[in-house]
Amino acid sequence: MIRIVHAELQRLLRKRTIVIAAAASVAFAVVATLAVFAAAKESGPPAARGGATLADLAAAGGGTEAFAVGASFIGFLVFVTFIALIATEFSGGTFRALLLRDPHRLRLIVGKLVGALTVAAGALVVAELLSFALSLAIAPSKGIDTGAWFSIAGLGHAFGNLGTAFAGVVGWAVFGTTLAVIFRSAPIALAVGFAWAGPFENIIVDSWDTGYRVFPGQVLAAIIQGGTPEISLGRAVVTGVVYVGIAAAATTTLLTRRDVTS
Amino acid sequence: MTANTSAVSVHGLTKRYGDRTVVDGFDLELPQGVVAGFVGPNGAGKTTTMAMLLGLVRPSAGVGDVLGDDITRPAAYLPRVGAMIESPAFYPALSGRENLRMFATIGRHPAERIPALLDTVGLGDRGDDRYRTYSLGMKQRLGIAAALLGDPALLILDEPANGLDPQGVHEMRGLIGSLARRGRTVLVSSHDLSELEQICDWLVLIEAGRSVYQGPAADFIQSSGDGLGAVPEHGHDLDALVAVLVSDGHRVDVVDGRALVRDDDLAGRDLAASVNRAAHRAGIVLVELSPIRTSLEDRYLALVQGADHGGDQ
């Protein structure tokens, strides 16, 4: 397993990939932080779903609040990225070629998943640090006292936000991998994934609140946000684990039973 | 290496997709150290058979072993097998060298061999270029290099010369020959029968998923016997020439205005003398009397078409 993760990191940690990941992290941190601070109101409900008030930003978790709010948009990006990464392995024949070096199919796919998630984790850490630094720079202009950010509670919020964001990313990555394994074609898997996680879920939840608690995409989004008014973090984690377990079981079954013909 | 033990020994290998049987009770005994040509028409089941040997496709039925390990446990023998099946597959954004390094990491192969392997396949000066910039022939060469990463005892190559220029084909022939000299067993499929004839000392013929012939290549090619091509001075004498040759007990086919003559008892100079005497007796002057060597392609076509066409086509 370790050598497969190592090989995947060899592939991913190249100058071009690092530059793209770093640029994405910077863009995410800048946009999320500026947007959250710009939209923050003195009091009352947040300006937008998942937004923050000035009081929220002055609290212990204020330093990473912008990261936490912005992270809810990362999931879909991770989803389509993993679909493309894994499906291309099948359609391009590289999965077949790698199986000739290591015929343990499950080990191979898990190793690739772990390798890519390691890179994703690194990008999340960079994004959170950048967002914190930007928040620190912007806070005085909004009259926000940042003293609480450096408390133990603030550190706990930072790790908590990073943890929930990464948990959601893992879920989206597993869902993306499952679709890629099912369809073995990037365009088809992307079309199905895009349609489901994009319009389908979001249109239905507009008229059916229960969808926030049962649809996989909504559940993972709730995990990344640390819970929502519709579903608590604890319930979202339990539901998400069930969904990820089902997806992993489907992936395992297909991988081990199906012939590798392309 | 001797031919006492088999590198590959499978029996009743079968692959069905629904009602369609792609490989049908295929038996294969591949002695160690041979270069075996795997020949068959498109759709005969060559690639599926290779994929089953490599653990990519699960057989519907059949038993056997590869390099002494059971075919159901490819993990046990794949580290000693190098393979390129269907077409070479690498990461387009990585260089040839980076691709090989990644494959070496996954296969626990020593990365120190990579520069030498790139030189071996003629990519020494293009190893740092991205794979996406490679020509088809260069991709094939990199595929061969990847197959050789583990210094394998058995090499399974599916159409390795596909896309190679004549120089590349020549080098591929030399490479396979050198592997054979080092005792490696090679199973290579190709549609280029003249190429296979030059590099293979063993033949495996498959048609409609079934084994048609397995054994020494020379035995297969020579099983119809070589013959002579006789051309009369005047075209209208051809029928008379055939008649007199047949009456003398020779086997004769007519192809492209010449009589192709074979005889179970006579060959070479004796057969030439016999043909010449028969023509002289019939008052026919021959303007050409030349030896016809049966090629692998001739024999293969005769076999799969169900009729032996004899000599040159």
Side-chain angles (χ1 to χ4, degrees):
Chain A
M1 171 74 85
I2 289 172
R3 68 199 149 78
I4 297 168
V5 174
H6 179 210
E8 191 64 9
L9 290 176
Q10 276 180 335
R11 180 169 84 94
L12 294 174
L13 292 181
R14 290 173 306 113
K15 189 177 170 187
R16 180 183 158 91
T17 319
I18 291 171
V19 167
I20 291 173
S25 295
V26 170
F28 165 79
V30 170
V31 171
T33 308
L34 291 179
V36 167
F37 273 82
K41 289 182 176 175
E42 189 76 35
S43 60
R49 182 184 171 76
T53 63
L54 289 177
D56 292 333
L57 293 172
T64 54
E65 184 69 22
F67 168 80
V69 172
S72 58
F73 299 101
I74 290 176
F76 191 70
L77 183 67
V78 170
F79 184 50
V80 296
T81 302
F82 273 78
I83 287 176
L85 271 178
I86 304 295
T88 307
E89 296 268 2
F90 285 95
S91 58
T94 45
F95 190 74
R96 179 196 72 223
L98 293 177
L99 281 178
L100 298 177
R101 316 282 153 218
D102 185 345
H104 296 98
R105 302 176 182 189
L106 200 57
R107 185 163 71 190
L108 194 57
I109 206 83
V110 171
K112 294 183 99 40
L113 195 64
V114 171
L117 281 172
T118 303
V119 176
L124 280 180
V125 170
V126 170
E128 187 174 36
L129 289 174
L130 281 173
S131 177
F132 184 85
L134 265 174
S135 299
L136 206 56
I138 297 171
S141 66
K142 287 280 189 177
I144 295 170
D145 178 10
T146 60
W149 295 4
F150 295 94
S151 63
I152 296 294
L155 197 63
H157 275 285
F159 278 112
N161 289 337
L162 187 64
T164 53
F166 186 66
V169 162
V170 170
W172 281 112
V174 171
F175 287 168
T177 301
T178 301
L179 276 186
V181 168
I182 290 172
F183 293 105
R184 294 182 289 189
S185 155
I188 298 173
L190 280 171
V192 172
F194 203 87
W196 173 268
F200 185 81
E201 279 199 6
N202 289 303
I203 288 171
I204 290 182
V205 295
D206 275 348
S207 55
W208 186 51
D209 275 357
T210 309
Y212 286 114
R213 293 188 290 277
V214 298
F215 283 149
Q218 303 302 319
V219 169
L220 290 185
I223 291 175
I224 291 176
Q225 291 174 54
T228 61
E230 292 83 10
I231 180 170
S232 67
L233 176 62
R235 181 169 172 176
V237 168
V238 170
T239 312
V241 166
V242 170
Y243 280 134
V244 167
I246 292 169
T251 304
T252 303
T253 304
L254 283 173
L255 266 181
T256 52
R257 295 191 174 211
R258 212 156 52 175
D259 291 334
V260 178
T261 53
S262 62
Chain B
M1 287 282 180
T2 66
N4 295 333
T5 52
S6 295
V8 178
S9 174
V10 292
H11 304 285
L13 202 60
T14 300
K15 183 62 190 178
R16 295 185 203 93
Y17 292 104
D19 294 336
R20 193 164 58 93
T21 302
V22 179
V23 178
D24 190 5
F26 185 75
D27 296 333
L28 177 62
E29 287 287 343
L30 204 61
Q32 286 188 14
V34 300
V35 176
F38 197 18
V39 183
N42 289 332
K46 299 187 296 294
T47 299
T48 303
T49 301
M50 287 178 155
M52 284 193 280
L53 295 178
L54 294 168
L56 296 173
V57 168
R58 195 186 309 275
S60 306
V63 294
D65 55 72
V66 176
L67 297 175
D69 287 302
D70 198 285
I71 194 173
T72 58
R73 296 178 55 247
Y77 58 79
L78 276 184
R80 291 170 286 147
V81 177
M84 184 177 73
I85 189 162
E86 296 194 69
S87 56
F90 294 98
Y91 295 98
L94 302 188
S95 69
R97 191 183 309 274
E98 288 169 334
N99 268 296
L100 290 185
R101 193 177 302 132
M102 189 187 166
F103 277 59
T105 301
I106 288 180
R108 290 199 184 96
H109 305 312
E112 295 73 29
R113 297 191 67 222
I114 292 172
L117 281 174
L118 286 169
D119 285 337
T120 300
V121 299
L123 289 176
D125 57 347
R126 294 292 304 273
D128 293 320
D129 291 352
R130 284 190 185 181
Y131 178 72
R132 68 160 62 102
T133 66
Y134 284 9
S135 67
L136 178 59
M138 291 167 69
K139 289 175 180 176
Q140 290 289 120
R141 289 164 188 260
L142 191 65
I144 300 292
L148 295 174
L149 269 173
D151 196 17
L154 170 65
L155 205 55
I156 297 179
L157 302 173
D158 191 9
E159 300 278 353
N162 195 21
L164 293 183
D165 55 23
Q167 172 75 13
V169 172
H170 178 75
E171 289 169 6
M172 179 71 67
R173 194 188 309 151
L175 180 62
I176 291 175
S178 71
L179 289 167
R181 283 192 292 278
R182 283 160 43 199
R184 306 292 186 262
T185 307
V186 183
L187 177 64
V188 53
S189 79
S190 176
H191 290 297
D192 189 340
L193 299 182
S194 61
E195 190 58 38
L196 282 183
E197 190 174 354
Q198 294 184 60
I199 60 173
C200 296
D201 51 17
W202 197 265
L203 276 180
V204 178
L205 268 59
I206 182 172
E207 190 191 7
R210 294 168 185 252
S211 174
V212 180
Y213 174 85
Q214 288 183 47
D219 288 1
F220 176 74
I221 295 167
Q222 290 166 6
S223 60
S224 68
D226 291 343
L228 286 173
V231 182
E233 182 180 25
H234 304 294
H236 55 78
D237 286 337
L238 186 60
D239 289 345
L241 176 64
V242 169
V244 70
L245 289 169
V246 169
S247 70
D248 278 5
H250 299 302
R251 286 183 285 119
V252 185
D253 295 303
V254 175
V255 178
D256 293 337
R258 69 175 58 192
L260 301 179
V261 190
R262 288 196 178 83
D263 194 292
D264 292 334
D265 301 321
L266 298 175
R269 288 165 56 90
D270 294 339
L271 180 58
S274 175
V275 170
N276 212 356
R277 269 195 295 273
H280 180 70
R281 201 166 62 241
I284 298 169
V285 175
L286 298 179
V287 293
E288 183 184 322
L289 189 58
S290 54
I292 301 294
R293 185 178 172 277
T294 305
S295 68
L296 171 59
E297 187 170 328
D298 297 329
R299 284 291 294 127
Y300 170 73
L301 289 174
L303 192 74
V304 299
Q305 290 169 3
D308 193 340
H309 296 289
D312 200 347
Q313 295 283 313

